[in-house]
Every structure is written in C-alpha cells, then in structure tokens.
Amino acid sequence: MSIKYKLIGSFFKEQTKNECHCVLFKTNTYYKNLSEDHKYTFRIRTLIFLWTTNFNSEPEFSLNNSMKIIISSAFVQITFGLKINTLNTFNNIFITHKSYSYKNNKAVFDGDVNLYTKKVNMSWPAIKKGFEISDDAINLSIHEFGHCLIFENAEKSYFSKIFNQSDLEIWKIHATENFYKIKSKKNKVLRNYAGTNLIELFSVALEAFFEQSEYFEYNEPQLYLSMANLLKQDPRNKLNPIFK
Ligand SMILES: [Zn+2]
C-alpha cells in the first residue's frame, strides 16, 4: 500500500472511511473488484477529491454525502493509475435533479463541462444510471471528468502535465484512425457520438475502456492499449489494474 495514502488516510475518521467503503462497495463495480490494498487507496483518493471539490445543487434537490462519494469515485477510477488527485480549474460541480437546457438553446443536456463558468454540470438520474448499469459503456460522470482532464492537461505547463506527452501523441494517432472508422460506420466499439471530435472520442472511449474492456481490446487493440498507456492502468486486471 502507498505510504502516502496511508498517511493521508490517518487524518480521516474511521466512520468517514467506513461510510465511503459502504457506498463504493454498493455502487462502483470497479472498486468492488479491487484488491483490499487498492480499495483502501481508492477510498482515500475518493475522500481527497470530495473534500477539495465544491459540490452544489439546485435548491429543490438535496445532494447528500453518498451522492458526492459516487460522483467522486468516477474521477478516482479514471485517474487511479495517475498522480493527479484533484481538479484545479473544474472543481465546481453542479447537480440538477433532471436533464436541463440553457437559455436560448433548445438542446437538452444530462451533463456538460462549461468552459465559461468552469463548472461541471450533471443530472443526478443520469449519474446514477451510469453506475447502476456498469457494462453498457455509458457513464456520465466518467464522460464529463474525461473532458475535465483533457482541458486541465492542456492548461498545464510541460512539467506538470497530467498525461505523458508522448503517450498522448500515440493515443491521438489511434484515436484519429478510429474517428474515421466511426465516420465510415466501421467502428464496433465506440458509439457514434465519438465521431463529433477527438475530445468527445476521448470521453466516449473512456466509458468503453472501463465498462467493456475485453470487448474494446478485442476489437480495437491499438486504441485500447494506447488508452491503457495513457492512464497507466488496464481495467481487465480487476484486482490490480495499475501499471507498476
Ligand atoms: Zn462530451
């Protein structure tokens, strides 16, 4: 177990860690399958994210701690192989009780990362469903946090990047190949929305990477392995997904 997380973990109350474990064990399949050591690190990282992020909701919706744990777990899952524990720019999360739309725009959203307000907006029913059905390659919070990582990585200086630059370049090569496959309806793994642009492709691919790992690797091994290298983990190894 990482000494760093053991030390940080000692600052959290046992009751807080237990509550976190119970929620994660019930709702997050990735967490449930981890080794005991990784489970410990995962819940400490979930609590770190939870305590460093501002969660807000519509007044008519009461956002409780269990919900915050579930949302935070999506971020920890994506970044479990990486060093990043928190978001710096997009650390304001706003939860709605249903799908929403913006003024003067008819489009209905379940989630978006707003580049002007720097807020991550998500609807609770879509977040919940994303975890309840863990093998359909649809998980809203994984999708939206994927956007946050790409935007924050772009803002950071060369030495503080979230992703290794050469891993990202290799990912882009395979992502571009898949982008054209989607356009010509030859991609079996990623849903068509990935054909919007490479930013959407990254988030859609993340959802499939975690929820349909075997199928993804079998059909698009190069893209799958470039994602694994980028994230320093392979979710097919359920007990210990992290690269050494
Ligand atoms: Zn998106």
Side-chain angles (χ1 to χ4, degrees):
M1 186 189 302
S2 147
I3 296 168
K4 178 182 156 189
Y5 292 113
K6 207 171 176 188
L7 184 67
I8 299 173
S10 66
F11 290 98
F12 290 107
K13 285 183 190 161
E14 284 309 310
Q15 193 191 338
T16 307
K17 288 183 272 191
N18 287 341
E19 182 205 2
C20 186
H21 167 74
C22 291
V23 174
L24 292 175
F25 196 81
K26 257 191 271 173
T27 57
N28 187 310
T29 309
Y30 178 94
Y31 174 82
K32 202 173 164 179
N33 290 327
L34 290 173
S35 70
E36 290 309 310
D37 274 4
H38 281 320
K39 274 196 186 79
Y40 183 84
T41 304
F42 193 107
R43 45 186 186 266
I44 300 307
R45 289 182 72 157
T46 300
L47 291 170
I48 295 172
F49 184 84
L50 200 160
W51 289 110
T52 55
T53 302
N54 301 311
F55 286 93
N56 285 294
S57 65
E58 291 171 319
E60 62 267 46
F61 182 70
S62 81
L63 182 66
N64 63 36
N65 210 43
S66 299
M67 293 168 183
K68 292 180 194 175
I69 291 171
I70 294 170
I71 298 163
S72 302
S73 78
F75 180 82
V76 178
Q77 189 171 326
I78 307 169
T79 57
F80 205 46
L82 303 171
K83 291 196 169 68
I84 182 175
N85 282 309
T86 58
L87 285 167
N88 294 329
T89 310
F90 296 97
N91 65 345
N92 285 295
I93 297 179
F94 188 79
I95 306 300
T96 61
H97 74 291
K98 59 175 187 160
S99 310
Y100 57 90
S101 48
Y102 283 101
K103 264 182 199 163
N104 307 322
N105 186 344
K106 279 184 187 158
V108 177
F109 297 90
D110 271 321
D112 75 294
V113 176
N114 192 307
L115 291 172
Y116 299 102
T117 62
K118 308 286 182 204
K119 268 189 191 166
V120 183
N121 303 301
M122 293 188 275
S123 84
W124 174 250
I127 295 170
K128 192 164 162 264
K129 198 172 168 195
F131 286 98
E132 278 170 358
I133 308 167
S134 63
D135 59 359
D136 64 349
I138 296 180
N139 184 307
L140 180 76
S141 9
I142 285 182
H143 183 102
E144 301 306 338
F145 285 137
H147 290 331
C148 297
L149 288 178
I150 292 288
F151 296 144
E152 292 213 358
N153 187 63
E155 280 176 0
K156 288 184 190 283
S157 69
Y158 182 80
F159 294 103
S160 59
K161 292 277 186 203
I162 297 166
F163 301 120
N164 175 298
Q165 195 60 28
S166 64
D167 290 342
L168 188 58
E169 292 306 323
I170 294 169
W171 177 81
K172 276 185 200 162
I173 294 169
H174 299 303
T176 307
E177 286 165 7
N178 271 259
F179 180 80
Y180 290 111
K181 267 193 176 179
I182 293 159
K183 288 284 181 201
S184 56
K185 310 233 179 294
K186 284 181 188 147
N187 182 296
K188 288 183 187 170
V189 180
L190 305 179
R191 60 191 153 92
N192 289 342
Y193 190 59
T196 310
N197 53 48
L198 283 194
I199 291 176
E200 292 303 340
L201 191 144
F202 178 73
S203 281
V204 171
L206 264 185
E207 295 173 84
F209 181 73
F210 287 108
E211 297 205 349
Q212 294 178 345
S213 316
E214 304 281 349
Y215 181 74
F216 189 160
E217 196 277 336
Y218 182 78
N219 287 289
E220 294 295 344
Q222 287 181 315
L223 181 63
Y224 182 88
L225 294 174
S226 73
M227 305 256 337
N229 276 328
L230 188 64
L231 300 170
K232 305 287 170 237
Q233 64 163 313
D234 186 344
R236 288 176 303 164
N237 305 325
K238 295 183 191 312
L239 262 180
N240 179 16
I242 295 178
F243 286 5
K244 286 246 166 71

